[in-house]
Structure formats: C-alpha cells, structure tokens
Amino acid sequence: VTGRIDKSSTLPEANDTFFYPSVYSSVVVSELFELPDFVSFLKLRGSYAQVAGDLGIYEATNSYNTGRYRNVPTASFPGRLENPNLEPAFTNSYELGFEFKVLNSRLGIDFSYYKNKNGPQIFTQPFSPSSGYDGILLNGRTTERTGIDFSFTAVPVRTDDFEWSAIVNFDMNENVLTSL
C-alpha cells in the first residue's frame, strides 16, 4: 500500500496539492492449500494504482517569453490564456491476474486483465487568433484502455545441465475516448 502527496509549483494555487494511492496484493494459493499433485504453482494477484501529473515550468502561468530575433533580445506575452481552475491529470489503473504452472512447472499460463482510465487529461483548447490568445489549458479529455495479456510457457527439455523453455505471448488492448 502506498500513498503520495505532491505539491506542484506549476499548477494554480487552489489545486496545487494532490494525493494519489496504490495497493497491490497477491496470494500464492499453492502454498496455502493442498492442491492436486500435478499443480506446481498457483498465484492470484490484483492491484489498483493512481498516478497524477502536472505541467512543465511556466505552462500554466502568463509570464513573458524571451528570445532573440536577428540578434536582438525580445520579450512577448504568451499566447495561451491562464486557467486558474486547472487541476492535475490523473490516471487510475486496475489489474487482475493469475499465474498457473503444472507438471513440475513444465507448462504454465500467466494471464492479466487491466483497465486504465486516463483523465481528465490536460490539453490545449485552441482559440481564434483574433481573440488575442491562441488557446487555454483545460481538464477534459478522458480515455480508457482495457486489455488482456496472456503468456503460455513450456519447458520441452530439462536436464541437469540444460533447459530449453519457450514462451508465447498474446496481448490485446482497446483505447476508447470516453469524454471530451
């Protein structure tokens, strides 16, 4: 179990402190219960984690940009409008899975199901240049990614001096824009 509190100097003061937790647990069932002899190993696992992100330096404030044009120092007002209500971007992740080995660990399966919710993410909403600004940072876009990860392992040859193992892996995920 973890918990983290961050204070960001790049977010507006009203939303510059944020907390995000995580928890992970697994149980090796084959060590807790008497299973049939052909079962070598069985583990169940699950996790939840939240992470948060902020912005780079000066991205959320209206400060002058400096530069050079033909070797002459320049200063310009940024084109992006400041947003005093901007919040950190969060990602919530869930995962459930198991690992199962049989026949003295010569055959095995490792399976995971996961779901990640990203958002509301921070993005720039463009404006018409005639407004005097080219955009504003907003919280808004949310995406979800769900998927599975499946591995099949086999040890066709095992001697005292040599072991040949093979792994076949299959992954599938789907990304969906859930809100904008």
mmCIF file with all atom_site columns, all heavy atoms in Angstrom, residues 102-117:
data_model
loop_
_atom_site.group_PDB
_atom_site.id
_atom_site.type_symbol
_atom_site.label_atom_id
_atom_site.label_alt_id
_atom_site.label_comp_id
_atom_site.label_asym_id
_atom_site.label_entity_id
_atom_site.label_seq_id
_atom_site.pdbx_PDB_ins_code
_atom_site.Cartn_x
_atom_site.Cartn_y
_atom_site.Cartn_z
_atom_site.occupancy
_atom_site.B_iso_or_equiv
_atom_site.pdbx_formal_charge
_atom_site.auth_seq_id
_atom_site.auth_comp_id
_atom_site.auth_asym_id
_atom_site.auth_atom_id
_atom_site.pdbx_PDB_model_num
ATOM 1   N N   . VAL A 1 102 ? 1.852   -26.257 -14.120 1.00 0.00 ? 102 VAL A N   1
ATOM 2   C CA  . VAL A 1 102 ? 1.539   -27.667 -13.878 1.00 0.00 ? 102 VAL A CA  1
ATOM 3   C C   . VAL A 1 102 ? 2.695   -28.541 -14.348 1.00 0.00 ? 102 VAL A C   1
ATOM 4   O O   . VAL A 1 102 ? 3.608   -28.077 -15.036 1.00 0.00 ? 102 VAL A O   1
ATOM 5   C CB  . VAL A 1 102 ? 0.234   -28.090 -14.605 1.00 0.00 ? 102 VAL A CB  1
ATOM 6   C CG1 . VAL A 1 102 ? -0.967  -27.357 -14.043 1.00 0.00 ? 102 VAL A CG1 1
ATOM 7   C CG2 . VAL A 1 102 ? 0.350   -27.875 -16.100 1.00 0.00 ? 102 VAL A CG2 1
ATOM 8   N N   . LEU A 1 103 ? 2.625   -29.820 -13.947 1.00 0.00 ? 103 LEU A N   1
ATOM 9   C CA  . LEU A 1 103 ? 3.583   -30.843 -14.373 1.00 0.00 ? 103 LEU A CA  1
ATOM 10  C C   . LEU A 1 103 ? 5.021   -30.429 -14.056 1.00 0.00 ? 103 LEU A C   1
ATOM 11  O O   . LEU A 1 103 ? 5.863   -30.337 -14.942 1.00 0.00 ? 103 LEU A O   1
ATOM 12  C CB  . LEU A 1 103 ? 3.419   -31.161 -15.862 1.00 0.00 ? 103 LEU A CB  1
ATOM 13  C CG  . LEU A 1 103 ? 2.007   -31.603 -16.301 1.00 0.00 ? 103 LEU A CG  1
ATOM 14  C CD1 . LEU A 1 103 ? 1.953   -31.773 -17.795 1.00 0.00 ? 103 LEU A CD1 1
ATOM 15  C CD2 . LEU A 1 103 ? 1.604   -32.867 -15.567 1.00 0.00 ? 103 LEU A CD2 1
ATOM 16  N N   . ASN A 1 104 ? 5.270   -30.162 -12.776 1.00 0.00 ? 104 ASN A N   1
ATOM 17  C CA  . ASN A 1 104 ? 6.594   -29.768 -12.300 1.00 0.00 ? 104 ASN A CA  1
ATOM 18  C C   . ASN A 1 104 ? 7.092   -28.499 -13.010 1.00 0.00 ? 104 ASN A C   1
ATOM 19  O O   . ASN A 1 104 ? 8.235   -28.391 -13.404 1.00 0.00 ? 104 ASN A O   1
ATOM 20  C CB  . ASN A 1 104 ? 7.595   -30.913 -12.457 1.00 0.00 ? 104 ASN A CB  1
ATOM 21  C CG  . ASN A 1 104 ? 8.800   -30.729 -11.573 1.00 0.00 ? 104 ASN A CG  1
ATOM 22  O OD1 . ASN A 1 104 ? 8.742   -30.008 -10.576 1.00 0.00 ? 104 ASN A OD1 1
ATOM 23  N ND2 . ASN A 1 104 ? 9.892   -31.369 -11.928 1.00 0.00 ? 104 ASN A ND2 1
ATOM 24  N N   . SER A 1 105 ? 6.178   -27.541 -13.202 1.00 0.00 ? 105 SER A N   1
ATOM 25  C CA  . SER A 1 105 ? 6.446   -26.234 -13.844 1.00 0.00 ? 105 SER A CA  1
ATOM 26  C C   . SER A 1 105 ? 6.904   -26.355 -15.297 1.00 0.00 ? 105 SER A C   1
ATOM 27  O O   . SER A 1 105 ? 7.566   -25.465 -15.820 1.00 0.00 ? 105 SER A O   1
ATOM 28  C CB  . SER A 1 105 ? 7.473   -25.435 -13.032 1.00 0.00 ? 105 SER A CB  1
ATOM 29  O OG  . SER A 1 105 ? 6.964   -25.134 -11.756 1.00 0.00 ? 105 SER A OG  1
ATOM 30  N N   . ARG A 1 106 ? 6.498   -27.425 -15.960 1.00 0.00 ? 106 ARG A N   1
ATOM 31  C CA  . ARG A 1 106 ? 6.868   -27.579 -17.369 1.00 0.00 ? 106 ARG A CA  1
ATOM 32  C C   . ARG A 1 106 ? 5.884   -26.881 -18.291 1.00 0.00 ? 106 ARG A C   1
ATOM 33  O O   . ARG A 1 106 ? 6.239   -26.528 -19.421 1.00 0.00 ? 106 ARG A O   1
ATOM 34  C CB  . ARG A 1 106 ? 7.006   -29.046 -17.721 1.00 0.00 ? 106 ARG A CB  1
ATOM 35  C CG  . ARG A 1 106 ? 8.229   -29.655 -16.997 1.00 0.00 ? 106 ARG A CG  1
ATOM 36  C CD  . ARG A 1 106 ? 8.462   -31.038 -17.431 1.00 0.00 ? 106 ARG A CD  1
ATOM 37  N NE  . ARG A 1 106 ? 9.070   -31.064 -18.752 1.00 0.00 ? 106 ARG A NE  1
ATOM 38  C CZ  . ARG A 1 106 ? 10.237  -31.620 -19.011 1.00 0.00 ? 106 ARG A CZ  1
ATOM 39  N NH1 . ARG A 1 106 ? 10.934  -32.157 -18.039 1.00 0.00 ? 106 ARG A NH1 1
ATOM 40  N NH2 . ARG A 1 106 ? 10.696  -31.654 -20.232 1.00 0.00 ? 106 ARG A NH2 1
ATOM 41  N N   . LEU A 1 107 ? 4.658   -26.672 -17.843 1.00 0.00 ? 107 LEU A N   1
ATOM 42  C CA  . LEU A 1 107 ? 3.659   -25.913 -18.600 1.00 0.00 ? 107 LEU A CA  1
ATOM 43  C C   . LEU A 1 107 ? 3.097   -24.831 -17.683 1.00 0.00 ? 107 LEU A C   1
ATOM 44  O O   . LEU A 1 107 ? 2.856   -25.080 -16.501 1.00 0.00 ? 107 LEU A O   1
ATOM 45  C CB  . LEU A 1 107 ? 2.520   -26.820 -19.075 1.00 0.00 ? 107 LEU A CB  1
ATOM 46  C CG  . LEU A 1 107 ? 2.875   -27.937 -20.048 1.00 0.00 ? 107 LEU A CG  1
ATOM 47  C CD1 . LEU A 1 107 ? 1.647   -28.813 -20.307 1.00 0.00 ? 107 LEU A CD1 1
ATOM 48  C CD2 . LEU A 1 107 ? 3.410   -27.372 -21.353 1.00 0.00 ? 107 LEU A CD2 1
ATOM 49  N N   . GLY A 1 108 ? 2.897   -23.650 -18.255 1.00 0.00 ? 108 GLY A N   1
ATOM 50  C CA  . GLY A 1 108 ? 2.382   -22.576 -17.428 1.00 0.00 ? 108 GLY A CA  1
ATOM 51  C C   . GLY A 1 108 ? 1.578   -21.561 -18.222 1.00 0.00 ? 108 GLY A C   1
ATOM 52  O O   . GLY A 1 108 ? 1.736   -21.412 -19.431 1.00 0.00 ? 108 GLY A O   1
ATOM 53  N N   . ILE A 1 109 ? 0.712   -20.881 -17.489 1.00 0.00 ? 109 ILE A N   1
ATOM 54  C CA  . ILE A 1 109 ? -0.115  -19.809 -18.044 1.00 0.00 ? 109 ILE A CA  1
ATOM 55  C C   . ILE A 1 109 ? 0.006   -18.613 -17.111 1.00 0.00 ? 109 ILE A C   1
ATOM 56  O O   . ILE A 1 109 ? -0.059  -18.750 -15.892 1.00 0.00 ? 109 ILE A O   1
ATOM 57  C CB  . ILE A 1 109 ? -1.599  -20.229 -18.144 1.00 0.00 ? 109 ILE A CB  1
ATOM 58  C CG1 . ILE A 1 109 ? -1.777  -21.378 -19.130 1.00 0.00 ? 109 ILE A CG1 1
ATOM 59  C CG2 . ILE A 1 109 ? -2.471  -19.049 -18.538 1.00 0.00 ? 109 ILE A CG2 1
ATOM 60  C CD1 . ILE A 1 109 ? -3.177  -21.956 -19.136 1.00 0.00 ? 109 ILE A CD1 1
ATOM 61  N N   . ASP A 1 110 ? 0.185   -17.428 -17.693 1.00 0.00 ? 110 ASP A N   1
ATOM 62  C CA  . ASP A 1 110 ? 0.169   -16.179 -16.949 1.00 0.00 ? 110 ASP A CA  1
ATOM 63  C C   . ASP A 1 110 ? -0.832  -15.272 -17.644 1.00 0.00 ? 110 ASP A C   1
ATOM 64  O O   . ASP A 1 110 ? -0.685  -14.986 -18.836 1.00 0.00 ? 110 ASP A O   1
ATOM 65  C CB  . ASP A 1 110 ? 1.565   -15.543 -16.938 1.00 0.00 ? 110 ASP A CB  1
ATOM 66  C CG  . ASP A 1 110 ? 1.679   -14.404 -15.947 1.00 0.00 ? 110 ASP A CG  1
ATOM 67  O OD1 . ASP A 1 110 ? 0.649   -13.797 -15.595 1.00 0.00 ? 110 ASP A OD1 1
ATOM 68  O OD2 . ASP A 1 110 ? 2.818   -14.118 -15.527 1.00 0.00 ? 110 ASP A OD2 1
ATOM 69  N N   . PHE A 1 111 ? -1.865  -14.855 -16.930 1.00 0.00 ? 111 PHE A N   1
ATOM 70  C CA  . PHE A 1 111 ? -2.950  -14.073 -17.522 1.00 0.00 ? 111 PHE A CA  1
ATOM 71  C C   . PHE A 1 111 ? -3.184  -12.808 -16.707 1.00 0.00 ? 111 PHE A C   1
ATOM 72  O O   . PHE A 1 111 ? -3.178  -12.851 -15.477 1.00 0.00 ? 111 PHE A O   1
ATOM 73  C CB  . PHE A 1 111 ? -4.247  -14.905 -17.553 1.00 0.00 ? 111 PHE A CB  1
ATOM 74  C CG  . PHE A 1 111 ? -5.426  -14.132 -18.070 1.00 0.00 ? 111 PHE A CG  1
ATOM 75  C CD1 . PHE A 1 111 ? -5.634  -14.000 -19.433 1.00 0.00 ? 111 PHE A CD1 1
ATOM 76  C CD2 . PHE A 1 111 ? -6.312  -13.533 -17.201 1.00 0.00 ? 111 PHE A CD2 1
ATOM 77  C CE1 . PHE A 1 111 ? -6.712  -13.279 -19.913 1.00 0.00 ? 111 PHE A CE1 1
ATOM 78  C CE2 . PHE A 1 111 ? -7.396  -12.821 -17.667 1.00 0.00 ? 111 PHE A CE2 1
ATOM 79  C CZ  . PHE A 1 111 ? -7.608  -12.688 -19.024 1.00 0.00 ? 111 PHE A CZ  1
ATOM 80  N N   . SER A 1 112 ? -3.372  -11.681 -17.402 1.00 0.00 ? 112 SER A N   1
ATOM 81  C CA  . SER A 1 112 ? -3.706  -10.413 -16.747 1.00 0.00 ? 112 SER A CA  1
ATOM 82  C C   . SER A 1 112 ? -4.811  -9.716  -17.518 1.00 0.00 ? 112 SER A C   1
ATOM 83  O O   . SER A 1 112 ? -4.815  -9.709  -18.754 1.00 0.00 ? 112 SER A O   1
ATOM 84  C CB  . SER A 1 112 ? -2.499  -9.471  -16.705 1.00 0.00 ? 112 SER A CB  1
ATOM 85  O OG  . SER A 1 112 ? -1.494  -9.967  -15.885 1.00 0.00 ? 112 SER A OG  1
ATOM 86  N N   . TYR A 1 113 ? -5.720  -9.118  -16.773 1.00 0.00 ? 113 TYR A N   1
ATOM 87  C CA  . TYR A 1 113 ? -6.738  -8.218  -17.333 1.00 0.00 ? 113 TYR A CA  1
ATOM 88  C C   . TYR A 1 113 ? -6.483  -6.857  -16.710 1.00 0.00 ? 113 TYR A C   1
ATOM 89  O O   . TYR A 1 113 ? -6.288  -6.751  -15.502 1.00 0.00 ? 113 TYR A O   1
ATOM 90  C CB  . TYR A 1 113 ? -8.153  -8.696  -16.980 1.00 0.00 ? 113 TYR A CB  1
ATOM 91  C CG  . TYR A 1 113 ? -9.196  -7.642  -17.269 1.00 0.00 ? 113 TYR A CG  1
ATOM 92  C CD1 . TYR A 1 113 ? -9.672  -7.453  -18.564 1.00 0.00 ? 113 TYR A CD1 1
ATOM 93  C CD2 . TYR A 1 113 ? -9.676  -6.814  -16.262 1.00 0.00 ? 113 TYR A CD2 1
ATOM 94  C CE1 . TYR A 1 113 ? -10.612 -6.466  -18.835 1.00 0.00 ? 113 TYR A CE1 1
ATOM 95  C CE2 . TYR A 1 113 ? -10.619 -5.838  -16.527 1.00 0.00 ? 113 TYR A CE2 1
ATOM 96  C CZ  . TYR A 1 113 ? -11.076 -5.661  -17.819 1.00 0.00 ? 113 TYR A CZ  1
ATOM 97  O OH  . TYR A 1 113 ? -12.004 -4.683  -18.084 1.00 0.00 ? 113 TYR A OH  1
ATOM 98  N N   . TYR A 1 114 ? -6.469  -5.812  -17.525 1.00 0.00 ? 114 TYR A N   1
ATOM 99  C CA  . TYR A 1 114 ? -6.211  -4.476  -16.988 1.00 0.00 ? 114 TYR A CA  1
ATOM 100 C C   . TYR A 1 114 ? -7.166  -3.448  -17.582 1.00 0.00 ? 114 TYR A C   1
ATOM 101 O O   . TYR A 1 114 ? -7.715  -3.629  -18.671 1.00 0.00 ? 114 TYR A O   1
ATOM 102 C CB  . TYR A 1 114 ? -4.761  -4.054  -17.226 1.00 0.00 ? 114 TYR A CB  1
ATOM 103 C CG  . TYR A 1 114 ? -4.353  -4.022  -18.677 1.00 0.00 ? 114 TYR A CG  1
ATOM 104 C CD1 . TYR A 1 114 ? -4.559  -2.898  -19.463 1.00 0.00 ? 114 TYR A CD1 1
ATOM 105 C CD2 . TYR A 1 114 ? -3.763  -5.124  -19.265 1.00 0.00 ? 114 TYR A CD2 1
ATOM 106 C CE1 . TYR A 1 114 ? -4.190  -2.875  -20.795 1.00 0.00 ? 114 TYR A CE1 1
ATOM 107 C CE2 . TYR A 1 114 ? -3.386  -5.115  -20.593 1.00 0.00 ? 114 TYR A CE2 1
ATOM 108 C CZ  . TYR A 1 114 ? -3.596  -3.981  -21.346 1.00 0.00 ? 114 TYR A CZ  1
ATOM 109 O OH  . TYR A 1 114 ? -3.236  -3.964  -22.667 1.00 0.00 ? 114 TYR A OH  1
ATOM 110 N N   . LYS A 1 115 ? -7.337  -2.379  -16.820 1.00 0.00 ? 115 LYS A N   1
ATOM 111 C CA  . LYS A 1 115 ? -8.152  -1.249  -17.265 1.00 0.00 ? 115 LYS A CA  1
ATOM 112 C C   . LYS A 1 115 ? -7.505  0.020   -16.730 1.00 0.00 ? 115 LYS A C   1
ATOM 113 O O   . LYS A 1 115 ? -7.229  0.121   -15.535 1.00 0.00 ? 115 LYS A O   1
ATOM 114 C CB  . LYS A 1 115 ? -9.579  -1.372  -16.751 1.00 0.00 ? 115 LYS A CB  1
ATOM 115 C CG  . LYS A 1 115 ? -10.491 -0.268  -17.237 1.00 0.00 ? 115 LYS A CG  1
ATOM 116 C CD  . LYS A 1 115 ? -11.925 -0.538  -16.831 1.00 0.00 ? 115 LYS A CD  1
ATOM 117 C CE  . LYS A 1 115 ? -12.848 0.444   -17.510 1.00 0.00 ? 115 LYS A CE  1
ATOM 118 N NZ  . LYS A 1 115 ? -14.247 0.103   -17.283 1.00 0.00 ? 115 LYS A NZ  1
ATOM 119 N N   . ASN A 1 116 ? -7.237  0.970   -17.621 1.00 0.00 ? 116 ASN A N   1
ATOM 120 C CA  . ASN A 1 116 ? -6.669  2.260   -17.251 1.00 0.00 ? 116 ASN A CA  1
ATOM 121 C C   . ASN A 1 116 ? -7.620  3.363   -17.669 1.00 0.00 ? 116 ASN A C   1
ATOM 122 O O   . ASN A 1 116 ? -8.057  3.400   -18.822 1.00 0.00 ? 116 ASN A O   1
ATOM 123 C CB  . ASN A 1 116 ? -5.322  2.507   -17.952 1.00 0.00 ? 116 ASN A CB  1
ATOM 124 C CG  . ASN A 1 116 ? -4.286  1.482   -17.602 1.00 0.00 ? 116 ASN A CG  1
ATOM 125 O OD1 . ASN A 1 116 ? -4.358  0.859   -16.559 1.00 0.00 ? 116 ASN A OD1 1
ATOM 126 N ND2 . ASN A 1 116 ? -3.323  1.306   -18.474 1.00 0.00 ? 116 ASN A ND2 1
ATOM 127 N N   . LYS A 1 117 ? -7.930  4.247   -16.736 1.00 0.00 ? 117 LYS A N   1
ATOM 128 C CA  . LYS A 1 117 ? -8.731  5.430   -17.048 1.00 0.00 ? 117 LYS A CA  1
ATOM 129 C C   . LYS A 1 117 ? -7.814  6.633   -16.932 1.00 0.00 ? 117 LYS A C   1
ATOM 130 O O   . LYS A 1 117 ? -7.289  6.919   -15.853 1.00 0.00 ? 117 LYS A O   1
ATOM 131 C CB  . LYS A 1 117 ? -9.908  5.567   -16.098 1.00 0.00 ? 117 LYS A CB  1
ATOM 132 C CG  . LYS A 1 117 ? -10.760 6.782   -16.379 1.00 0.00 ? 117 LYS A CG  1
ATOM 133 C CD  . LYS A 1 117 ? -11.898 6.923   -15.395 1.00 0.00 ? 117 LYS A CD  1
ATOM 134 C CE  . LYS A 1 117 ? -12.655 8.201   -15.658 1.00 0.00 ? 117 LYS A CE  1
ATOM 135 N NZ  . LYS A 1 117 ? -13.639 8.465   -14.610 1.00 0.00 ? 117 LYS A NZ  1
#
